[in-house]
Amino acid sequence: MSWYDALEAGELTVRPSVDAAKRFGVSIDRMSVSASAGTPLADVLAAVERSTADVVVLRYPARETTWFAALAAGPRRALLAETVTCWALPVGKGRRPAPLAGFTAQHETQLDDDLIDDLVADIFGDSGNHYCANPMFDRALALAGRQEWARRRIAEAGAVVLRGPDRRVLALAVLDERGSWTEIQLSGVVPAEQGRGRYGHLLAAVEDACTTRRLVVTTQAHQTGIQRIWARYGFEPMHNLLTVHLVAAT
């Protein structure tokens, strides 16, 4: 979920998820309620009722603690899929680590598709995403979707890449700039290099690549390790959302 949809959209948004529908073979609508929307539950329930999709993927502020019971009482089966946490940092305020001799970190415009697939599988293959909470969706197809998305975004905008002295890619981050903020859409360190401080160097390179005032990022709440790194670097938590899958009766 984008930072804009999560915090700034200002209204209930509904759109079909065309790529995911093709991948999984079922129709999917994405609905989101941003932190600034003030959308009443009645409007959300009405939008769900109007949807003809097999699955509605709904994200809404976690502060709305009464909504899930109302959603579960409707005609669709409600599955609690994940909690998303949102963090932010003023650009230039990060607690940057000392440079590493022989390591380079910079924005690169071209990466081999096979390399991207391998990196995404290595870094994110075990973490899953909200699709993995729903037995309708195959975990391998969910990973393939993340790989496809990464290839497409890097072809469009490149990525910030951390390389070791032997030029191997150790970490990467995919960014999206909009208005006053830059969103880290995908980031991680290869398993063999995790726990060695590499992510802090990646974040420093991301700050260097930013032309906006604020750096923002989201992740699943259970990813506590990466959130500890963000906190040490200087990010602060801003918002939480719930993701619910609403599955039509068969």
Side-chain angles (χ1 to χ4, degrees), residues 104-109 159-163 167 171 173 202 205-206 208-209:
T104 60
Q106 61 188 8
H107 183 264
E108 298 186 16
T109 57
V160 175
V161 178
L162 174 68
R163 293 181 181 270
R167 302 298 298 158
L202 179 68
V206 167
D208 290 340

Side-chain angles (χ1 to χ4, degrees), residues 4-243:
Y4 177 79
D5 286 341
L7 280 91
E8 300 184 13
E11 60 183 5
L12 170 68
T13 60
V14 183
R15 56 181 177 269
S17 187
V18 177
D19 291 340
K22 290 180 180 178
R23 184 176 308 113
F24 293 115
V26 297
S27 56
I28 302 170
D29 275 348
R30 287 182 174 270
M31 297 186 185
S32 59
V33 180
S34 77
S36 59
T39 304
L41 173 60
D43 288 358
V44 176
L45 295 176
V48 172
E49 184 177 357
R50 287 193 299 269
S51 175
T52 60
D54 297 314
V55 180
V56 173
V57 177
L58 170 65
R59 281 187 168 131
Y60 62 90
R63 65 175 180 253
E64 305 293 355
T65 56
T66 64
W67 284 20
F68 184 79
L71 293 163
R76 290 174 175 264
R77 181 164 57 105
L79 302 174
L80 186 58
E82 67 180 2
T83 302
V84 177
T85 65
C86 307
W87 294 67
L89 171 78
V91 171
K93 300 298 185 181
R95 302 184 187 103
R96 303 168 66 98
L100 286 170
F103 288 72
T104 60
Q106 61 188 8
H107 183 264
E108 298 186 16
T109 57
Q110 292 184 332
L111 287 175
D112 180 77
D113 283 350
D114 289 339
L115 173 61
I116 294 171
D117 283 350
D118 289 344
L119 289 169
V120 172
D122 287 347
I123 297 171
F124 305 104
D126 293 332
S127 63
N129 57 27
H130 64 92
Y131 289 114
C132 299
N134 189 334
M136 290 183 65
F137 300 125
D138 181 85
R139 190 181 186 96
L141 291 178
L143 175 60
R146 181 172 279 186
Q147 291 170 316
E148 178 185 351
W149 178 90
R151 292 195 305 269
R152 185 170 64 247
R153 283 293 295 131
I154 291 173
E156 293 170 351
V160 175
V161 178
L162 174 68
R163 293 181 181 270
D166 59 1
R167 302 298 298 158
R168 286 187 304 114
V169 176
L170 306 182
L172 85 165
V174 180
L175 309 181
D176 179 45
E177 292 191 355
R178 185 186 301 205
S180 64
W181 43 261
T182 297
E183 180 177 4
I184 303 174
Q185 295 183 315
L186 184 78
S187 66
V189 177
V190 297
E193 296 292 326
Q194 291 176 6
R196 305 178 68 182
R198 307 304 189 213
Y199 197 91
H201 295 277
L202 179 68
L203 289 175
V206 167
E207 277 199 279
D208 290 340
C210 284
T211 60
T212 62
R213 297 193 302 272
R214 190 163 56 145
L215 186 60
V216 300
V217 65
T218 65
T219 192
Q220 296 163 309
H222 69 268
Q223 302 287 359
T224 54
I226 196 67
Q227 292 177 79
R228 285 195 296 269
I229 295 173
W230 292 342
R232 287 197 298 268
Y233 194 84
F235 283 81
E236 294 185 351
M238 303 296 294
H239 187 52
N240 290 338
L241 304 105
L242 296 180
T243 304

